[in-house]
Amino acid sequence: MHYRQLGRSGLLVSAFTLGTMTFGGKGAFAKTGNTDLAGAARQIDLCLDAGITLFDTADIYSSGESETILGQALKGRTKEALVTTKARFRTDDGPNGEGSSRYHLIAACEASLKRLGRDHIDLYYLHEWDGTTPLDETLEALDTLTRSGKIRYAGVSNFSGWHIMKALSVAERDRLIAPVAQQIHYSLQAREAEYELLPIAKDQQIGVQVWSPLAGGLLSGKYRRNQPTPQGRQLENWGEPPVYDKEKLFDIVEVLVNVGEELGVSAAQVALAWTIHRPAITSVVIGARTDDQLKDNLKAANLTLSADQIRRLDDASKPPLLYPYWHQANTASARLSAADRLLLEPFIKTQ
């Protein structure tokens, strides 16, 4: 397992994170999995043996049951494990039961600590943008939680580029604790983060933790062109991530399967290996319904792809350039930063 520095912080984290959305299986989260305490303990043992030190959850996963199971499974091993959790979505029926207000964030953090059975959270994420709460109030709440020792670091999740830059600006202006990481959706199937979020990460030294690197199973190799669709979510109603172009998805999967056959590994391992070696990525969240799936995913930590294999995967999945990026690629190539080139390099025409 490789360990990487988390953004501008001095914290080192494992290149893979265990995601625990499958823990609990309550309500809407039952469709993701229903791992109980015994199963969670086995998966955590597998991860610790593989060198994983980062474990991710959220207060809404199975109505808090994921946090409870994770906390119980980590008892006696807290020195080895770093925990990330999140707040923002509705956890109470009252008028202040959601959002990023000082009221909700502090109450949500204290509730998460109680469920986790810990005295602090290592990395606390704003789970989603809140456009109605002033950012200075939200960041001041995170600052208070940090200075009181209840959280070690703060991050944001599912923010747009301008949201992140505004948060960094307000933190600098008011001398508040700034986010050191962002948790984002990114995969071969959905590379939108390359437009803004990954360049921002590189330019501003923000850590990147990727969720759903297998696109909810779409990149596992089970979904193939002209083959029966497995039971479960249909491609037309996938939702997270939405599937705009099924044919392009199938093109990507074909390359994944072919590369996997060349290396004697699963398509899922190839997809994870591609993601973890992308520029600006700090850690990739992996999760599994079964121990066998988890064991297979963990093997991707030591998988090396050749330059030709990476090129084929890139070509099959490359997103089109939006404005103003195509204009920059055509006219500004002599004066681009490393952050600019993260997106534009493949499109710059060589003279």
Side-chain angles (χ1 to χ4, degrees):
M1 183 63 59
H2 301 287
Y3 300 91
R4 298 171 175 181
Q5 191 167 349
L6 183 69
R8 294 186 307 274
S9 80
L11 187 68
L12 295 178
V13 300
S14 51
F16 280 158
T17 300
L18 178 67
T20 65
M21 187 185 289
T22 58
F23 290 8
K26 284 188 175 182
F29 290 91
K31 63 184 179 182
T32 68
N34 58 352
T35 305
D36 59 13
L37 178 57
R42 288 197 307 272
Q43 290 193 1
I44 288 170
D45 283 339
L46 288 170
C47 289
L48 291 174
D49 288 344
I52 286 179
T53 59
L54 205 53
F55 298 84
D56 179 72
T57 184
D59 61 1
I60 61 166
Y61 295 169
S62 291
S63 301
E65 187 66 16
S66 172
E67 288 183 326
T68 299
I69 291 175
L70 177 62
Q72 292 175 352
L74 286 175
K75 278 186 178 178
R77 295 181 288 195
T78 53
K79 289 184 179 180
E80 304 173 49
L82 301 171
V83 171
T84 76
T85 192
K86 316 175 197 74
R88 152 61 173 87
F89 291 115
R90 181 166 293 281
T91 53
D92 184 81
D93 292 333
N96 294 301
E98 66 175 330
S100 297
S101 67
R102 176 182 174 86
Y103 179 94
H104 181 71
L105 286 181
I106 290 178
C109 181
E110 291 172 347
S112 288
L113 287 170
K114 185 175 181 180
R115 285 189 292 268
L116 288 164
R118 297 168 65 92
D119 61 6
H120 73 276
I121 294 162
D122 297 290
L123 176 56
Y124 197 48
Y125 281 111
L126 302 176
H127 206 164
E128 176 63 274
W129 173 250
D130 178 356
T132 63
T133 302
L135 261 174
D136 53 355
E137 177 182 340
T138 297
L139 295 177
E140 192 277 335
L142 294 176
D143 194 84
T144 297
L145 291 170
T146 302
R147 297 185 189 283
S148 65
K150 293 181 179 179
I151 67 175
R152 296 289 190 258
Y153 299 95
V156 298
S157 182
N158 304 309
F159 276 36
S160 68
W162 75 266
H163 293 154
I164 293 176
M165 292 306 299
K166 185 175 181 179
L168 294 174
S169 177
V170 171
E172 182 178 17
R173 181 195 70 193
D174 296 346
R175 297 187 177 182
L176 298 170
I177 298 298
V180 299
Q182 57 174 325
Q183 188 174 121
I184 65 172
H185 180 239
Y186 182 56
S187 73
L188 275 161
Q189 188 269 342
R191 294 175 59 177
E192 300 96 329
E194 293 177 16
Y195 292 125
E196 291 283 345
L197 299 180
L198 294 186
I200 285 171
K202 190 171 186 63
D203 185 71
Q204 298 294 313
Q205 293 181 282
I206 301 294
V208 176
Q209 195 177 32
V210 173
W211 63 268
S212 200
L214 297 180
L218 290 177
L219 303 178
S220 64
K222 294 185 297 183
Y223 296 84
R224 304 284 297 277
R225 180 182 282 113
N226 299 324
Q227 293 190 16
T229 301
Q231 289 184 346
R233 293 175 286 184
Q234 297 298 307
L235 295 185
E236 292 81 1
N237 302 312
W238 201 265
E240 287 193 5
V243 179
Y244 301 116
D245 187 338
K246 286 197 297 183
E247 293 308 309
K248 183 173 182 178
L249 168 65
F250 289 138
D251 289 343
I252 296 169
V253 173
E254 288 307 307
V255 179
L256 282 171
V257 171
N258 290 338
V259 171
E261 291 173 348
E262 292 168 8
L263 297 172
V265 302
S266 67
Q269 284 187 45
V270 176
L272 291 171
W274 178 89
T275 306
I276 198 59
H277 292 296
R278 296 298 292 169
I281 302 302
T282 309
S283 188
V284 172
V285 180
I286 58 173
R289 289 173 177 266
T290 68
D291 293 355
D292 287 341
Q293 287 177 344
L294 179 58
K295 290 175 183 176
D296 184 73
N297 288 347
L298 287 170
K299 293 177 182 177
N302 298 313
L303 182 62
T304 299
L305 303 177
S306 70
D308 176 69
Q309 290 166 340
I310 292 171
R311 179 193 57 76
R312 287 152 55 194
L313 291 165
D314 287 347
D315 288 347
S317 62
K318 185 167 60 175
L321 279 188
L322 306 176
Y323 176 81
Y325 307 115
W326 56 260
H327 199 277
Q328 294 169 0
N330 291 338
T331 64
S333 60
R335 298 184 67 85
L336 294 177
S337 70
D340 295 318
R341 289 183 174 275
L342 190 149
L343 169 67
L344 299 179
E345 189 73 46
F347 298 92
I348 294 173
K349 296 177 181 178
T350 57
Q351 300 300 324

